[in-house]
Amino acid sequence: MNLLTAEHITKAYSERVLLKDVTLGIQEGEKIGVIGVNGMGKSTLLRILAGAEEPDEGTVIRGRNVKTGYLPQTPLFKENDTVLSAVLSGEAGENPEGFTKESEARALLTRLDLEDFHKPVAELSGGQRKRAALARVLLNPADFLVLDEPTNHLDSQMSDWLEEYLNRFRGTLLMVTHDRYFLDRVADRILEVDQGKVYSCPGSYHMYVERKEERLDMARASERKRQSILRTELQWLARGARARSTKQKARIQRIRDMQAAEAPGEQGSLELSSLASRLGRKTLELKEISKSYDGRNLIHCFSYIFLKGDRVGFVGKNGCGKTTLLKILTGNLQPDSGEVEAGQTVKIGYFSQENEYMDESLKAIDYVKEMGEYIETPEGKVTASALMERFLFDGTMQWSRIGKLSGGEKRRLYLLRILMGAPNVLVLDEPTNDLDIQTLTILEDYLDGFQGIVIVVSHDRYFLDRTVRRIFAFEEEGKIRQYEGGWTDWQAARKEEEAERISSVKSLPAEEIPKKSREGRTHSQKLKFTYKEQREFDTIEDDIAVLEKKLGELEAAIGEAASQYTKLEELMKEKEAAERALEEKMDRWVYLNDLAERIQSKK
């Protein structure tokens, strides 16, 4: 059933046409990911479809009684709001299951790591405000969720939880996100916003990438054919066509139409050479670094020597101290104890989580030229203007004031300024926030050839897998533990360790399988079940069947409670407990069954 139809939508800001004659439909139950280069109009499209903004031309037709939940890219709150009041937005009372809105709000905020419910919203960081806004949207039941960058500022555990929540959500979802793993696991359709047009591709992000390449190949082939025909026709025209007959007039008009036709647009790319300065023998060394805040031990005695060519990622929950460590490493913050030693040739480029101050009255090119008129690359000198072209800033955008750029374009401009300094130690704090997928892809390619050290803090699972070769995980009490590989390798190592821990806890004492020989006896003690083991062995298969049935019932209940957050949390906890109990029973069954076979073989 059709939920929403947009017909002939056009939207422009000043001279920039973001959407031009766009028509699309959204069906009930669809989960749609919206992608495209920053500044192409993704957020504008979401605002129009959510009803938060009107198009210049065209209409949006919505189904009757459709309730929309909208998460904007930059959420707004009332001046005197606290975290809890902002999320509740004045609503109270009980829902049909008997849970109060406030209890649901508290549970949801706890899940999103916002446990200081009475803290003023004005004191929250940008990431915390975004999570509070996400809680506000998810708290109120909706048929149509419109989410602009919901995964920004979420750690990997929160992203996993949101991914699971949206997969269970029975309504319709429209979201902008640059998290490629998230898109692959949640979206069943991709919309690409490009040069005022919207292209639709059914399937996951992975399928979209394959089909887009096929579409571009077809467009290139059509363009080659057009150019070939045009050359032939121009040669005919040059020989002196007589425009007296109707056929010749029509032929001349066709030639003019072909000349006027636009070639398929080739997207720009961040074709960067490595801009790193030479790095000497001594790099960066952290010696016994410790740092505490408000009685919390964030970093405890951390030491590490960064090697040439290191690709290191720091991971952990929000607020665990990752950004604090980067600030210590870059000299923007002093540790409580320990020291940072840097070689004389070390030149750090720090891409911070929040953009440095930008004078929005400046033109984009003037902002870049503050770092220099040109930079040296292996191919020679490159002017600031030429480098901006490589960063997808065309001539018009270069002379635009910074205040007119989108949030993602400002991040891209800030990244360009950092790289123009030719650092040999690149420190990236949440680089994937507000950067589009194309920029991320080319940045990843750039980092492949970067000759210096790369240090990354990120919750983007794909980006970590793509760029780092070593993970440092923040664990309890300020301890930072080293793992080899990317994000997927880290997760696999954690699961393996957890399985080993559970196995060691469950393992039985040696006395339960008597092996001791007795003095004066030449035969081993007879292997047999104890009374307790025999009773357990007789009933364990029935116990396993009961647990499996319970899990099935819980999964069905979870599907029905997808929009009831507090009840869902309780069911998820109950399911986790049942899964642990089943795992224990299965491990016990393996042991008892093995023992039974050994007893049988001895008879």
Side-chain angles (χ1 to χ4, degrees):
M1 182 177 173
N2 199 37
L3 182 88
L4 178 148
T5 301
E7 296 181 342
H8 306 292
I9 296 298
T10 295
K11 186 69 178 181
Y13 290 101
S14 300
E15 297 178 358
R16 287 183 74 180
V17 178
L18 296 179
L19 303 171
K20 185 177 181 181
D21 197 29
V22 171
T23 296
L24 62 91
I26 296 176
Q27 303 297 314
E28 282 189 6
E30 279 195 298
K31 292 178 179 175
I32 303 171
V34 181
I35 63 173
V37 174
N38 288 331
M40 284 294 175
K42 302 186 299 295
S43 295
T44 300
L45 178 65
L46 259 63
R47 286 196 298 271
I48 290 172
L49 297 183
E53 188 171 332
E54 292 297 321
D56 296 336
E57 298 176 18
T59 57
V60 178
I61 304 167
R62 297 177 180 83
R64 289 184 179 180
N65 303 318
V66 173
K67 188 171 182 181
T68 301
Y70 173 50
L71 173 71
Q73 188 174 44
T74 305
L76 298 175
F77 298 96
K78 294 178 182 177
E79 186 176 348
N80 298 321
D81 269 341
T82 64
V83 172
L84 186 59
S85 66
V87 171
L88 288 170
S89 297
E91 297 189 22
E94 295 189 353
N95 61 25
E97 289 71 38
F99 300 105
T100 64
K101 278 281 186 183
E102 184 171 332
S103 64
E104 287 193 69
R106 288 174 180 269
L108 188 50
L109 286 168
T110 301
R111 166 62 75 174
L112 293 172
D113 199 22
L114 292 169
E115 298 182 17
D116 190 349
F117 305 133
H118 302 293
K119 186 174 184 177
V121 172
E123 296 178 11
L124 298 180
S125 67
Q128 289 172 325
R129 290 169 68 90
K130 190 65 177 277
R131 280 181 272 140
L134 178 61
R136 180 169 61 184
V137 172
L138 298 183
L139 182 64
N140 298 299
D143 308 301
F144 183 33
L145 277 182
V146 182
L147 308 178
D148 198 346
E149 295 288 3
T151 58
N152 274 9
H153 310 289
L154 298 187
D155 61 36
S156 57
Q157 289 182 340
M158 291 182 198
S159 291
D160 287 341
W161 169 80
L162 182 60
E163 186 179 292
E164 190 174 333
Y165 178 91
L166 294 177
N167 276 324
R168 290 195 306 268
F169 176 61
R170 293 188 173 184
T172 305
L173 171 67
L174 180 71
M175 63 177 176
V176 169
T177 180
H178 304 312
D179 186 325
R180 285 153 286 185
Y181 280 161
F182 197 87
L183 277 172
D184 248 345
R185 294 167 184 173
V186 176
D188 54 27
R189 180 181 168 199
I190 300 294
L191 293 180
E192 181 190 9
V193 182
D194 182 27
Q195 305 294 333
K197 299 178 181 179
V198 175
Y199 301 93
S200 176
C201 176
S204 65
Y205 173 74
H206 179 74
M207 294 171 66
Y208 151 80
V209 171
E210 294 177 348
R211 290 178 182 177
K212 182 182 179 182
E213 192 56 40
E214 292 173 3
R215 172 165 61 84
L216 290 176
D217 285 343
M218 290 175 63
R220 294 185 193 108
S222 297
E223 175 61 14
R224 286 195 297 270
K225 184 176 180 180
R226 182 178 76 89
Q227 292 293 344
S228 177
I229 294 171
L230 187 58
R231 279 195 299 272
T232 302
E233 293 295 88
L234 288 174
Q235 288 171 2
W236 170 80
L237 197 61
R239 288 196 295 269
R242 285 175 285 181
R244 293 179 183 177
S245 70
T246 302
K247 287 185 178 180
Q248 288 195 342
K249 285 180 181 179
R251 187 173 180 181
I252 292 169
Q253 185 59 47
R254 283 198 302 273
I255 294 172
R256 289 172 179 167
D257 291 342
M258 290 173 69
Q259 287 177 311
E262 291 185 11
E266 289 289 333
Q267 285 187 328
S269 63
L270 296 169
E271 299 171 356
L272 296 175
S273 302
S274 175
L275 309 178
S277 306
R278 188 188 70 82
L279 187 61
R281 292 183 63 185
K282 186 175 178 62
T283 58
L284 269 177
E285 184 174 353
L286 304 181
K287 295 183 176 180
E288 301 291 324
I289 299 296
S290 293
K291 187 69 178 180
S292 298
Y293 274 119
D294 298 328
R296 287 184 61 212
N297 196 5
L298 297 179
I299 304 165
H300 179 67
C301 293
F302 177 63
S303 298
Y304 183 70
I305 300 173
F306 290 93
L307 307 175
K308 286 185 177 180
D310 246 351
R311 299 289 187 270
V312 175
F314 288 93
V315 299
K317 292 183 178 181
N318 286 324
C320 67
K322 303 184 297 297
T323 295
T324 298
L325 181 61
L326 293 193
K327 287 180 177 178
I328 292 172
L329 189 150
T330 56
N332 294 308
L333 186 67
Q334 291 301 311
D336 295 338
S337 61
E339 60 180 330
V340 180
E341 289 188 4
Q344 290 185 348
T345 59
V346 168
K347 188 175 182 181
I348 296 176
Y350 180 32
F351 185 64
S352 63
Q353 193 168 152
E354 301 290 340
N355 288 356
E356 65 177 17
Y357 169 74
M358 287 182 170
D359 183 350
E360 298 205 341
S361 66
L362 276 179
K363 293 182 175 64
I365 193 166
D366 292 334
Y367 174 74
V368 173
K369 282 183 175 180
E370 286 181 348
M371 292 293 288
E373 293 286 333
Y374 61 86
I375 55 172
E376 294 283 354
T377 73
E379 291 80 21
K381 293 180 179 180
V382 176
T383 65
S385 178
L387 196 63
M388 290 185 77
E389 288 278 356
R390 295 183 183 184
F391 264 80
L392 316 181
F393 288 102
D394 60 23
T396 303
M397 291 179 68
Q398 288 182 25
W399 293 96
S400 295
R401 299 196 183 278
I402 293 174
K404 291 185 177 181
L405 300 180
S406 70
E409 288 169 334
K410 289 176 183 176
R411 288 290 281 173
R412 198 188 325 148
L413 189 66
Y414 176 43
L415 176 62
L416 167 60
R417 182 181 166 101
I418 298 297
L419 295 181
M420 275 196 65
N424 48 35
V425 177
L426 196 53
V427 181
L428 306 173
D429 192 359
E430 295 293 358
T432 63
N433 285 353
D434 298 317
L435 287 183
D436 58 75
I437 291 175
Q438 185 188 1
T439 304
L440 288 175
T441 301
I442 307 301
L443 175 60
E444 290 158 0
D445 291 340
Y446 168 70
L447 294 178
D448 285 342
F450 184 69
Q451 299 299 310
I453 296 167
V454 178
I455 303 167
V456 177
V457 164
S458 180
H459 298 308
D460 188 316
R461 300 161 290 182
Y462 185 97
F463 188 82
L464 286 170
D465 271 342
R466 181 71 174 76
T467 58
V468 307
R469 297 194 289 266
R470 180 168 296 139
I471 291 281
F472 283 99
F474 280 69
E475 298 181 349
E476 71 284 347
E477 299 177 359
K479 294 179 181 177
I480 303 174
R481 190 171 175 193
Q482 179 176 329
Y483 296 85
E484 296 305 308
W487 182 86
T488 300
D489 299 307
W490 168 55
Q491 290 294 297
R494 288 182 63 198
K495 288 178 181 176
E496 186 177 336
E497 287 177 0
E498 182 66 14
E500 289 176 0
R501 186 189 67 79
I502 292 172
S503 177
S504 65
V505 169
K506 294 176 184 174
S507 61
L508 296 170
E511 301 87 70
E512 288 202 32
I513 306 177
K515 293 181 179 179
K516 292 182 180 179
S517 59
R518 293 187 179 181
E519 188 174 311
R521 295 177 64 175
T522 58
H523 63 279
S524 62
Q525 190 171 353
K526 187 177 180 182
L527 190 64
K528 64 178 182 178
F529 276 134
T530 65
Y531 175 74
K532 184 179 177 182
E533 285 173 338
Q534 184 64 60
R535 290 194 62 184
E536 187 180 6
F537 184 63
D538 292 340
T539 60
I540 195 165
E541 290 187 359
D542 291 336
D543 295 340
I544 288 172
V546 169
L547 284 169
E548 287 176 338
K549 182 181 178 182
K550 183 178 180 181
L551 269 175
E553 292 170 350
L554 285 169
E555 286 173 356
I558 286 169
E560 294 172 0
S563 62
Q564 302 160 19
Y565 180 77
T566 304
K567 185 176 180 181
L568 191 61
E569 283 285 288
E570 293 177 356
L571 288 171
M572 289 299 295
K573 288 178 182 177
E574 195 174 343
K575 181 189 173 188
E576 289 172 5
E579 286 175 338
R580 285 195 299 271
L582 179 60
E583 187 179 0
E584 291 172 4
K585 282 290 182 185
M586 291 298 294
D587 287 345
R588 187 67 175 157
W589 177 84
V590 170
Y591 164 73
L592 292 172
N593 197 55
D594 180 61
L595 182 56
E597 290 178 355
R598 290 163 61 195
I599 292 170
Q600 188 64 32
S601 67
K602 292 290 184 180
K603 290 182 179 179

